[in-house]
């Protein structure tokens, strides 16, 4: 996308110009989330893999956006995004 711009070719007094527009490829899931089971009090790690590294990820539980806290930790390494849920309870299902 950063290559989008106007390019020119000059030969003396003559010049030609062209505009290049680069369309970003859509971000897709290479690996989707998998169902997990855990015992109360344990820690669970949910992982998905994206087609493009560094893509911002928003984690949600139902319709509620999750934020980093003592309960939830987010990690992202290249194309892999992880949600760590600590001390799971039945309400976390």
């Amino acid at each position: 996308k950063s290559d989008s711009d106007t390019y020119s070719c000059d030969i003396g007094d003559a010049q030609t110009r062209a505009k290049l527009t680069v369309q970003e490829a859509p971000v897709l899931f290479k690996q989707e989330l998998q169902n997990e089971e855990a015992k109360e009090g344990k820690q669970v790690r949910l992982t998905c893999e994206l087609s493009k590294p560094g893509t911002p990820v928003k984690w949600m539980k139902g319709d509620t956006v999750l934020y980093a806290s003592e309960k939830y930790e987010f990690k992202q390494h290249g194309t892999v995004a992880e949600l760590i849920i600590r001390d799971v309870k039945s309400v976390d299902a």
Side-chain angles (χ1 to χ4, degrees), residues 3-87:
D3 290 323
S4 295
D5 207 338
T6 300
Y7 291 83
S8 64
C9 181
D10 299 345
I11 51 169
D13 293 336
Q15 183 182 68
T16 183
R17 292 178 181 261
K19 183 176 182 176
L20 172 64
T21 304
V22 179
Q23 297 176 349
E24 287 188 78
V27 178
L28 304 171
F29 289 104
K30 289 173 71 175
Q31 179 184 338
E32 296 187 0
L33 292 173
Q34 301 296 311
N35 293 335
E36 296 286 341
E37 288 188 22
K39 293 186 178 191
E40 277 192 311
K42 297 295 182 182
Q43 175 176 292
V44 174
R45 182 181 309 261
L46 301 175
T47 303
C48 61
E49 186 174 1
L50 313 170
S51 61
K52 189 174 182 182
T55 302
V57 172
K58 176 171 59 173
W59 288 96
M60 300 180 71
K61 178 185 174 205
D63 294 331
T64 304
V65 176
L66 301 178
Y67 296 97
S69 64
E70 288 184 21
K71 179 79 169 174
Y72 303 112
E73 180 180 354
F74 310 118
K75 292 185 178 183
Q76 198 161 351
H77 308 283
T79 58
V80 177
E82 295 180 324
L83 165 63
I84 298 165
I85 306 171
R86 294 186 187 91
D87 190 24

